[in-house]
Amino acid sequence: MGFDLDVVVVGGCGHVGLPLAIAFADRGLQVASYDIDLRAAAKVASGEMPFDEPGAPEVLRRVIAAGRLQAGTDAAVVSRAENIVVVVGTPVDEHLNPDPQAVPAAVEAIAGELRPGQLLVLRSTVYPGVTALVEHVVERLGVAVDVAFCPERIAEGKALTELFELPQIVSGRNEAALTRARKLFEVLTNETVELLPEEAELAKLFTNTYRYLKFALANQLYMMANDFGLDYERIRRGVTHNYPRAADLPGAGFAAGPCLLKDTMQLAAFNNNNFVLGHAAMMVNEGLPLYLVDRLARRYDLSRMTVGILGMAFKAESDDTRSSLAYKLKRILRFKAAGVLCADPYVKSDGSLVPAEELLERSDLVVIGAPHRRYSEMTIEKPVVDIWGVRGDGVMV
Ligand SMILES: NC(=O)c1ccc[n+]([C@@H]2O[C@H](COP(=O)([O-])OP(=O)(O)OC[C@H]3O[C@@H](n4cnc5c(N)ncnc54)[C@H](O)[C@@H]3O)[C@@H](O)[C@H]2O)c1
């Protein structure tokens, strides 16, 4: 059967799906972004990004104008594409339980659109065993579709460079699925790494867990140094200067966002909740805002002060507030301080934010909540707490 589209991305207007769709289209493929989010799909169809991603707006406009990318909410488009890439969200719930059914459910929802000869690529970060689960779904449907698992490893904000630069992990149970997946991702990069599906599922979770644990180590070392009355950044400079074995020791900061904690907890759940290092990392990273406020409360009578938080996104130069620890800091301060004001030039989803000038005017104390570059040079005439070290004035609190 012939297909008039090369790729349809299911979840194609999300933070991962949209850059991927844009990248494929920019490399000359005929692509569709299929999503259940009406607002996001309408924006994309009109050539507008629903969220910030550096470099993406120009390319999106270009591929829409060239007729190589379409976006919509009609699942029928799935039947027209040779390759279906599923990259829907896979969050853990409020009790940190993963939902192994998130991806199979998205596949079930498009079951009526599957056609013989298609390649179904799972791209979400999944609970180990989900690829096999989807293979069973496809088998039960009785439609001759190859299944591959090729995890996304970009960092938000770098998607449009990393999609072309990072090696792509590709996996499939049989030669046909593997070869087809490799061919698809070779459109983006000439470096692929082949694994078995279960190896690839763990590889993705190990990647994010490794990062999460590294940040936890840095944060714990930061707290140790700080409790001892020393500046972690000065020590880190000593550790890392021309010393390759420790060159990747991170600075302190909030390890937050939609992926790192979530994926560490997926791995913990997979290992029967027996993941001492993962859970310890969670306690350190999630505990950092509490530690900060505790330290501040020793120095200041917070009950009489207004505290300003500069930066609410989960990381620098981002508009994404998902699982941002700046919001946890805000919740703690609202309980302890007389007032809390928050500002972020990138975030558009929070009507309670105030302009930075107003925050600086009305606050007695300022905490950097996200290390946006602009804060490094900003004139601030109030005490500043900067655990990230963006201002270069020390990180002690
Ligand atoms: N955000 C990152 O930096 C990042 C990096 C690598 C991997 N991942 C993984 O990629 C996956 C997606 O993450 P994200 O940040 O893009 O999430 P997201 O919420 O930004 O995007 C998911 C999109 O899927 C859509 N969707 C949900 N169910 C659907 C369905 N049944 N049919 C069609 N569309 C549907 C949503 O409307 C949304 O637009 C997750 O598994 C995540 O762990 C994320």
Side-chain angles (χ1 to χ4, degrees):
M1 178 170 174
F3 297 101
D4 68 318
L5 295 173
D6 297 304
V7 181
V8 61
V9 182
V10 177
C13 297
H15 289 80
V16 163
L18 182 54
L20 181 67
I22 293 173
F24 277 135
D26 206 37
R27 285 285 160 104
L29 301 191
Q30 269 321 118
V31 183
S33 278
Y34 160 62
D35 206 291
I36 52 173
D37 184 335
L38 274 168
R39 216 184 109 259
K43 275 198 161 185
V44 175
S46 70
E48 202 188 324
M49 288 293 293
F51 50 86
D52 285 353
E53 182 61 49
E58 311 77 285
V59 192
L60 174 63
R61 278 194 294 275
R62 184 159 75 226
V63 293
I64 292 272
R68 285 203 300 275
L69 177 69
Q70 53 180 278
T73 55
D74 183 357
V77 74
V78 171
S79 66
R80 294 169 43 201
E82 184 175 351
N83 301 285
I84 306 164
V85 180
V86 178
V87 66
V88 298
T90 49
V92 292
D93 70 12
E94 69 272 37
H95 306 296
L96 304 176
N97 300 306
D99 174 10
Q101 297 302 332
V103 171
V107 172
E108 296 267 13
I110 54 166
E113 310 302 334
L114 296 182
R115 297 290 178 268
Q118 288 180 314
L119 173 69
L120 178 63
V121 178
L122 311 182
R123 185 93 169 147
S124 302
T125 305
V126 299
Y127 186 80
V130 162
T131 308
L133 215 58
V134 170
E135 286 167 337
H136 292 315
V137 171
V138 169
E139 206 180 324
R140 187 163 39 77
L141 292 170
V143 49
V145 166
D146 290 316
V147 177
F149 173 67
C150 308
E152 180 58 82
R153 295 195 296 167
I154 53 124
E156 277 179 45
K158 298 183 178 165
L160 275 240
T161 49
E162 290 193 344
L163 275 168
F164 303 110
E165 286 172 1
L166 293 180
Q168 294 284 339
I169 292 178
V170 294
S171 75
R173 190 85 50 204
N174 54 48
E175 201 46 46
L178 194 57
T179 307
R180 293 181 72 182
R182 196 189 323 113
K183 189 169 152 251
L184 176 63
F185 284 99
E186 278 174 356
V187 170
L188 303 178
T189 172
N190 50 21
E191 204 178 350
T192 54
V193 185
E194 294 178 14
L195 294 175
L196 293 169
E198 287 69 29
E199 291 172 337
E201 290 173 341
L202 284 181
K204 173 61 200 185
L205 292 181
F206 286 0
T207 305
N208 279 3
T209 298
Y210 181 57
R211 275 170 66 69
Y212 193 63
L213 264 64
K214 261 204 315 199
F215 292 138
L217 174 62
N219 285 331
Q220 179 128 49
L221 297 180
Y222 163 76
M223 291 186 243
M224 261 183 216
N226 196 62
D227 287 343
F228 201 49
L230 296 176
D231 188 306
Y232 173 69
E233 263 314 293
R234 287 178 55 83
I235 303 169
R236 192 168 79 94
R237 186 161 51 86
V239 171
T240 56
H241 182 73
N242 284 345
Y243 191 73
R245 276 190 294 283
D248 62 346
L249 175 64
F254 293 155
C259 290
L260 298 188
L261 169 62
K262 181 257 296 185
D263 292 338
T264 306
M265 291 304 107
Q266 294 212 77
L267 191 57
F270 173 65
N271 204 40
N272 298 320
N273 269 340
N274 178 17
F275 188 13
V276 175
L277 287 174
H279 286 124
M282 173 177 70
M283 287 164 69
V284 172
N285 287 331
E286 291 288 306
L288 188 54
L290 287 152
Y291 173 85
L292 276 186
V293 176
D294 184 59
R295 295 290 305 190
L296 289 176
R298 295 180 197 196
R299 263 177 47 203
Y300 301 102
D301 181 0
L302 293 175
S303 67
R304 293 169 183 282
M305 296 173 85
T306 295
V307 182
I309 307 176
L310 274 182
M312 299 305 290
F314 85 85
K315 67 174 184 178
E317 325 311 323
S318 169
D319 65 346
D320 195 346
T321 57
R322 291 180 296 170
S323 304
S324 169
L325 283 175
Y327 277 89
K328 183 166 185 173
L329 178 66
K330 177 185 176 184
R331 274 200 304 279
I332 304 163
L333 283 170
R334 280 180 67 172
F335 185 65
K336 301 260 182 181
V340 186
L341 296 170
C342 303
D344 192 303
Y346 298 99
V347 173
K348 294 146 213 128
S349 55
D350 181 352
S352 74
L353 301 186
V354 299
E357 302 70 36
E358 181 183 338
L359 180 146
L360 294 180
E361 176 67 34
R362 291 174 52 200
S363 298
D364 304 301
L365 174 67
V366 175
V367 183
I368 307 283
H372 299 321
R373 272 192 298 276
R374 66 183 63 198
Y375 299 147
S376 64
E377 301 287 318
M378 194 175 260
T379 306
I380 305 178
E381 281 156 359
K382 309 281 170 65
V384 185
V385 175
D386 174 22
I387 61 165
W388 315 81
V390 283
R391 295 172 64 79
D393 297 333
V395 295
M396 288 180 67
V397 53

